[in-house]
Each structure stands twice: as C-alpha cells, then as structure tokens.
Amino acid sequence: MSTSATEICNLLYRYAEAIDEGRLEDAAALFRHARIETGAAGPLDADGLLALWRKILVIHPCGTLRTRHLVTNPILDIDEAAGTAQVRSCFTVMQATDDLPLQIIASGRYHDRFARIDGEWCFVERDYRQLDFTGDLSRHLRVPVRTGSRR
C-alpha cells in the first residue's frame, strides 16, 4: 500500500477510535477542512458536526459511547499529482452497555473525499447519509434515525 493510502486509511481509523473513546473534539478536528453532509441538518463544518454530536450522541458514565466503530473495505481512488482522493468504505457499529449485550447497532457506508493540505492528507468531505441498517440505537442516539441510502 502506498504511503498516501496508509495515511488516508489511518484517518478513517483515527476517526473511529476517537468517537469510540468519546473524544468528540478530537474526532471533529479531523474534519477541520471538511464539509459534512448529514441529511436533515444540511452541510456542516467541523464545529457544526461537533455541536450535532453533542446533541445526539449518548455519552455513558465511563465517558465513552460504549461502541466499537469498525471501518472496513476501503476503496481508494488517489490522484497523487492533484493531491486528492475519493474513498468509499463500510462501517459497522457494535455496542455493549450494562443492560445491552454486545450487538451490532448500525451499518452503512462512508463516502469521503480527501486532499493534501500543507503536505498532509485531510478530510475535505464526508457523506453521512449512507446508513443502511440499524439495530437498537436507544443507548447510542438521543434521536430516531431512518435507514436507506440516498445516491
């Protein structure tokens, strides 16, 4: 795998790690150059995304979401000369709480765009609207969600 591919995949994985650990500010900072498509909330910047997460995500007493976000099957289309990339990947969210056994609570796809900014790969766009399947989200989100992709 190229250095660019590794750096881009690491951004995907850093996002998942920060979210799972409840480090919402760190996760949002990964999108400091990005426009995020969320559907109902419309396009957001990193500050808007952080505000949305603070509003809808359940942070448990341990300070985490009690989740594990698995980001898999990244398909990378990198243009080294232009310093841009498009990536499609899958995500699966598992959760376990004191009253919820370990189970899959959501699955879908991320559609991301990246750019090399000041020599470093950065998110420049994420589409969060590709939520395909949901389970029991009652201990993860404070709001109901609808599934089904929009292409």
Side-chain angles (χ1 to χ4, degrees), residues 31-55:
F31 297 97
R32 67 189 172 279
H33 300 290
R35 182 183 108 181
I36 301 98
E37 293 291 342
T38 61
L44 300 173
D45 61 10
D47 291 335
L49 183 61
L50 179 58
L52 178 66
W53 285 339
R54 286 179 173 156
K55 178 180 174 183

mmCIF file of all heavy atoms in Angstrom, residues 31-55:
data_model
loop_
_atom_site.group_PDB
_atom_site.id
_atom_site.type_symbol
_atom_site.label_atom_id
_atom_site.label_comp_id
_atom_site.label_asym_id
_atom_site.label_seq_id
_atom_site.Cartn_x
_atom_site.Cartn_y
_atom_site.Cartn_z
ATOM 1 N N PHE A 31 -12.067 16.844 10.806
ATOM 2 C CA PHE A 31 -12.880 17.404 9.728
ATOM 3 C C PHE A 31 -12.741 18.927 9.628
ATOM 4 O O PHE A 31 -13.602 19.594 9.058
ATOM 5 C CB PHE A 31 -14.348 17.008 9.937
ATOM 6 C CG PHE A 31 -14.576 15.522 9.863
ATOM 7 C CD1 PHE A 31 -14.637 14.758 11.014
ATOM 8 C CD2 PHE A 31 -14.713 14.890 8.644
ATOM 9 C CE1 PHE A 31 -14.833 13.383 10.950
ATOM 10 C CE2 PHE A 31 -14.908 13.519 8.563
ATOM 11 C CZ PHE A 31 -14.963 12.763 9.717
ATOM 12 N N ARG A 32 -11.650 19.471 10.146
ATOM 13 C CA ARG A 32 -11.481 20.932 10.178
ATOM 14 C C ARG A 32 -11.480 21.570 8.794
ATOM 15 O O ARG A 32 -11.784 22.744 8.657
ATOM 16 C CB ARG A 32 -10.223 21.302 10.951
ATOM 17 C CG ARG A 32 -8.924 20.879 10.301
ATOM 18 C CD ARG A 32 -7.724 21.070 11.222
ATOM 19 N NE ARG A 32 -6.513 20.507 10.672
ATOM 20 C CZ ARG A 32 -6.173 19.211 10.733
ATOM 21 N NH1 ARG A 32 -6.978 18.350 11.337
ATOM 22 N NH2 ARG A 32 -5.044 18.784 10.206
ATOM 23 N N HIS A 33 -11.168 20.822 7.747
ATOM 24 C CA HIS A 33 -11.173 21.343 6.379
ATOM 25 C C HIS A 33 -12.361 20.813 5.579
ATOM 26 O O HIS A 33 -12.403 20.986 4.362
ATOM 27 C CB HIS A 33 -9.885 20.938 5.649
ATOM 28 C CG HIS A 33 -8.643 21.445 6.289
ATOM 29 N ND1 HIS A 33 -8.295 22.775 6.291
ATOM 30 C CD2 HIS A 33 -7.657 20.798 6.965
ATOM 31 C CE1 HIS A 33 -7.145 22.921 6.937
ATOM 32 N NE2 HIS A 33 -6.745 21.739 7.345
ATOM 33 N N ALA A 34 -13.300 20.170 6.246
ATOM 34 C CA ALA A 34 -14.316 19.400 5.523
ATOM 35 C C ALA A 34 -15.708 20.023 5.564
ATOM 36 O O ALA A 34 -16.050 20.793 6.456
ATOM 37 C CB ALA A 34 -14.392 17.978 6.091
ATOM 38 N N ARG A 35 -16.462 19.601 4.577
ATOM 39 C CA ARG A 35 -17.900 19.832 4.536
ATOM 40 C C ARG A 35 -18.536 18.466 4.758
ATOM 41 O O ARG A 35 -18.182 17.497 4.104
ATOM 42 C CB ARG A 35 -18.298 20.381 3.172
ATOM 43 C CG ARG A 35 -19.783 20.695 3.064
ATOM 44 C CD ARG A 35 -20.114 21.157 1.687
ATOM 45 N NE ARG A 35 -20.856 20.075 1.066
ATOM 46 C CZ ARG A 35 -21.315 20.092 -0.146
ATOM 47 N NH1 ARG A 35 -21.090 21.121 -0.926
ATOM 48 N NH2 ARG A 35 -22.006 19.093 -0.623
ATOM 49 N N ILE A 36 -19.474 18.399 5.703
ATOM 50 C CA ILE A 36 -20.078 17.131 6.081
ATOM 51 C C ILE A 36 -21.557 17.156 5.719
ATOM 52 O O ILE A 36 -22.290 18.051 6.139
ATOM 53 C CB ILE A 36 -19.898 16.853 7.588
ATOM 54 C CG1 ILE A 36 -18.410 16.827 7.957
ATOM 55 C CG2 ILE A 36 -20.543 15.531 7.974
ATOM 56 C CD1 ILE A 36 -17.905 18.092 8.523
ATOM 57 N N GLU A 37 -21.962 16.177 4.916
ATOM 58 C CA GLU A 37 -23.369 16.028 4.538
ATOM 59 C C GLU A 37 -24.046 15.116 5.550
ATOM 60 O O GLU A 37 -23.617 13.978 5.759
ATOM 61 C CB GLU A 37 -23.493 15.422 3.135
ATOM 62 C CG GLU A 37 -22.999 16.321 2.029
ATOM 63 C CD GLU A 37 -23.872 17.543 1.811
ATOM 64 O OE1 GLU A 37 -25.030 17.559 2.268
ATOM 65 O OE2 GLU A 37 -23.384 18.484 1.171
ATOM 66 N N THR A 38 -25.105 15.625 6.187
ATOM 67 C CA THR A 38 -25.784 14.852 7.220
ATOM 68 C C THR A 38 -27.242 14.576 6.914
ATOM 69 O O THR A 38 -27.898 13.869 7.669
ATOM 70 C CB THR A 38 -25.712 15.580 8.574
ATOM 71 O OG1 THR A 38 -26.372 16.832 8.445
ATOM 72 C CG2 THR A 38 -24.283 15.772 9.023
ATOM 73 N N GLY A 39 -27.742 15.133 5.848
ATOM 74 C CA GLY A 39 -29.165 14.953 5.565
ATOM 75 C C GLY A 39 -29.965 16.085 6.156
ATOM 76 O O GLY A 39 -29.842 17.233 5.736
ATOM 77 N N ALA A 40 -30.736 15.780 7.187
ATOM 78 C CA ALA A 40 -31.667 16.746 7.767
ATOM 79 C C ALA A 40 -30.976 18.017 8.261
ATOM 80 O O ALA A 40 -31.502 19.110 8.114
ATOM 81 C CB ALA A 40 -32.444 16.101 8.910
ATOM 82 N N ALA A 41 -29.789 17.882 8.851
ATOM 83 C CA ALA A 41 -29.096 19.052 9.383
ATOM 84 C C ALA A 41 -28.401 19.859 8.287
ATOM 85 O O ALA A 41 -27.936 20.952 8.548
ATOM 86 C CB ALA A 41 -28.084 18.619 10.440
ATOM 87 N N GLY A 42 -28.340 19.324 7.075
ATOM 88 C CA GLY A 42 -27.673 20.022 5.984
ATOM 89 C C GLY A 42 -26.169 19.940 6.112
ATOM 90 O O GLY A 42 -25.640 19.323 7.024
ATOM 91 N N PRO A 43 -25.448 20.565 5.182
ATOM 92 C CA PRO A 43 -23.981 20.526 5.244
ATOM 93 C C PRO A 43 -23.474 21.230 6.499
ATOM 94 O O PRO A 43 -23.973 22.291 6.875
ATOM 95 C CB PRO A 43 -23.537 21.275 3.995
ATOM 96 C CG PRO A 43 -24.730 21.372 3.124
ATOM 97 C CD PRO A 43 -25.930 21.286 4.007
ATOM 98 N N LEU A 44 -22.489 20.616 7.134
ATOM 99 C CA LEU A 44 -21.913 21.169 8.355
ATOM 100 C C LEU A 44 -20.406 21.304 8.196
ATOM 101 O O LEU A 44 -19.793 20.583 7.413
ATOM 102 C CB LEU A 44 -22.192 20.242 9.543
ATOM 103 C CG LEU A 44 -23.640 19.965 9.906
ATOM 104 C CD1 LEU A 44 -23.713 18.893 10.988
ATOM 105 C CD2 LEU A 44 -24.329 21.239 10.362
ATOM 106 N N ASP A 45 -19.828 22.207 8.994
ATOM 107 C CA ASP A 45 -18.380 22.242 9.131
ATOM 108 C C ASP A 45 -18.034 21.478 10.414
ATOM 109 O O ASP A 45 -18.906 20.900 11.055
ATOM 110 C CB ASP A 45 -17.859 23.673 9.144
ATOM 111 C CG ASP A 45 -18.391 24.505 10.305
ATOM 112 O OD1 ASP A 45 -19.035 23.960 11.242
ATOM 113 O OD2 ASP A 45 -18.156 25.726 10.303
ATOM 114 N N ALA A 46 -16.770 21.473 10.793
ATOM 115 C CA ALA A 46 -16.337 20.704 11.964
ATOM 116 C C ALA A 46 -17.033 21.168 13.243
ATOM 117 O O ALA A 46 -17.431 20.336 14.068
ATOM 118 C CB ALA A 46 -14.824 20.795 12.119
ATOM 119 N N ASP A 47 -17.207 22.474 13.408
ATOM 120 C CA ASP A 47 -17.877 22.985 14.611
ATOM 121 C C ASP A 47 -19.341 22.562 14.642
ATOM 122 O O ASP A 47 -19.868 22.191 15.694
ATOM 123 C CB ASP A 47 -17.772 24.506 14.691
ATOM 124 C CG ASP A 47 -16.356 24.981 14.963
ATOM 125 O OD1 ASP A 47 -15.553 24.209 15.539
ATOM 126 O OD2 ASP A 47 -16.042 26.135 14.596
ATOM 127 N N GLY A 48 -19.992 22.621 13.490
ATOM 128 C CA GLY A 48 -21.386 22.186 13.415
ATOM 129 C C GLY A 48 -21.534 20.705 13.683
ATOM 130 O O GLY A 48 -22.488 20.271 14.341
ATOM 131 N N LEU A 49 -20.583 19.923 13.189
ATOM 132 C CA LEU A 49 -20.608 18.484 13.425
ATOM 133 C C LEU A 49 -20.424 18.182 14.903
ATOM 134 O O LEU A 49 -21.149 17.355 15.475
ATOM 135 C CB LEU A 49 -19.524 17.797 12.593
ATOM 136 C CG LEU A 49 -19.471 16.277 12.673
ATOM 137 C CD1 LEU A 49 -20.769 15.645 12.179
ATOM 138 C CD2 LEU A 49 -18.279 15.755 11.869
ATOM 139 N N LEU A 50 -19.494 18.858 15.549
ATOM 140 C CA LEU A 50 -19.284 18.673 16.982
ATOM 141 C C LEU A 50 -20.541 19.021 17.767
ATOM 142 O O LEU A 50 -20.949 18.283 18.671
ATOM 143 C CB LEU A 50 -18.088 19.500 17.457
ATOM 144 C CG LEU A 50 -17.761 19.421 18.942
ATOM 145 C CD1 LEU A 50 -17.475 17.988 19.379
ATOM 146 C CD2 LEU A 50 -16.577 20.342 19.262
ATOM 147 N N ALA A 51 -21.183 20.122 17.418
ATOM 148 C CA ALA A 51 -22.424 20.514 18.096
ATOM 149 C C ALA A 51 -23.510 19.463 17.894
ATOM 150 O O ALA A 51 -24.247 19.127 18.836
ATOM 151 C CB ALA A 51 -22.896 21.875 17.591
ATOM 152 N N LEU A 52 -23.614 18.927 16.693
ATOM 153 C CA LEU A 52 -24.599 17.880 16.422
ATOM 154 C C LEU A 52 -24.306 16.638 17.246
ATOM 155 O O LEU A 52 -25.207 16.082 17.879
ATOM 156 C CB LEU A 52 -24.609 17.531 14.927
ATOM 157 C CG LEU A 52 -25.562 16.402 14.527
ATOM 158 C CD1 LEU A 52 -27.013 16.811 14.748
ATOM 159 C CD2 LEU A 52 -25.313 16.002 13.072
ATOM 160 N N TRP A 53 -23.053 16.196 17.277
ATOM 161 C CA TRP A 53 -22.694 15.024 18.077
ATOM 162 C C TRP A 53 -23.036 15.237 19.545
ATOM 163 O O TRP A 53 -23.563 14.343 20.195
ATOM 164 C CB TRP A 53 -21.211 14.718 17.945
ATOM 165 C CG TRP A 53 -20.802 14.083 16.664
ATOM 166 C CD1 TRP A 53 -21.595 13.389 15.786
ATOM 167 C CD2 TRP A 53 -19.492 14.074 16.108
ATOM 168 N NE1 TRP A 53 -20.837 12.953 14.722
ATOM 169 C CE2 TRP A 53 -19.552 13.354 14.895
ATOM 170 C CE3 TRP A 53 -18.278 14.597 16.523
ATOM 171 C CZ2 TRP A 53 -18.430 13.146 14.097
ATOM 172 C CZ3 TRP A 53 -17.162 14.394 15.732
ATOM 173 C CH2 TRP A 53 -17.246 13.672 14.532
ATOM 174 N N ARG A 54 -22.720 16.418 20.067
ATOM 175 C CA ARG A 54 -23.011 16.693 21.480
ATOM 176 C C ARG A 54 -24.510 16.633 21.761
ATOM 177 O O ARG A 54 -24.931 16.295 22.870
ATOM 178 C CB ARG A 54 -22.456 18.056 21.877
ATOM 179 C CG ARG A 54 -20.955 18.050 22.028
ATOM 180 C CD ARG A 54 -20.437 19.411 22.397
ATOM 181 N NE ARG A 54 -19.010 19.379 22.694
ATOM 182 C CZ ARG A 54 -18.217 20.418 22.606
ATOM 183 N NH1 ARG A 54 -18.705 21.602 22.249
ATOM 184 N NH2 ARG A 54 -16.926 20.303 22.877
ATOM 185 N N LYS A 55 -25.292 16.960 20.765
ATOM 186 C CA LYS A 55 -26.751 16.954 20.917
ATOM 187 C C LYS A 55 -27.335 15.544 20.822
ATOM 188 O O LYS A 55 -28.258 15.202 21.560
ATOM 189 C CB LYS A 55 -27.378 17.847 19.837
ATOM 190 C CG LYS A 55 -28.874 17.896 19.854
ATOM 191 C CD LYS A 55 -29.386 18.800 18.747
ATOM 192 C CE LYS A 55 -30.896 18.751 18.654
ATOM 193 N NZ LYS A 55 -31.400 19.564 17.553
#
